[in-house]
């Protein structure tokens, strides 16, 4: 069963925000509601949920194809 909720923790200010993840899309940019900084995935991760969330994105949970990792 796929978990749709993930709590993103901002590495800059520590703000924790629980969000519903999309089932078939990667979220590349996320703006922290606490410090208003934009988060991008860490190198090798496909989305901000995989980098900063308590639960990886649904495609990763199901071991299916996800968006390619950011090469920057």
């Amino acid at each position: 069963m796929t978990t749709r909720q993930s709590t993103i923790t901002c590495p800059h200010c520590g703000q924790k925000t629980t969000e519903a993840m999309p089932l078939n899309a990667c979220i590349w940019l996320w703006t922290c509601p606490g410090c208003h900084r934009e988060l991008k995935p860490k190198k090798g991760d496909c989305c901000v949920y995989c980098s900063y969330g308590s639960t990886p994105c649904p495609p990763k949970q199901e071991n299916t194809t996800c968006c390619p990792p950011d090469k920057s």
Side-chain angles (χ1 to χ4, degrees):
M1 183 171 192
T2 302
T3 300
R4 296 243 6 237
Q5 297 289 316
S6 185
T7 300
I8 295 178
T9 302
C10 177
H12 303 289
C13 71
Q15 172 84 30
K16 293 180 186 285
T17 305
T18 300
E19 304 232 340
M21 297 181 283
L23 290 175
N24 59 357
C26 292
I27 302 300
W28 288 85
L29 292 174
W30 182 80
T31 303
C32 174
C35 66
H36 306 288
R37 286 180 145 175
E38 277 192 346
L39 301 184
K40 293 181 181 179
K42 293 178 184 176
K43 188 173 185 156
D45 284 342
C46 64
C47 66
V48 295
Y49 295 110
C50 290
S51 293
Y52 306 104
S54 59
T55 305
C57 66
K60 279 265 175 113
Q61 291 179 49
E62 296 176 5
N63 293 320
T64 60
T65 303
C66 194
C67 304
D70 185 9
K71 302 267 192 280
S72 61

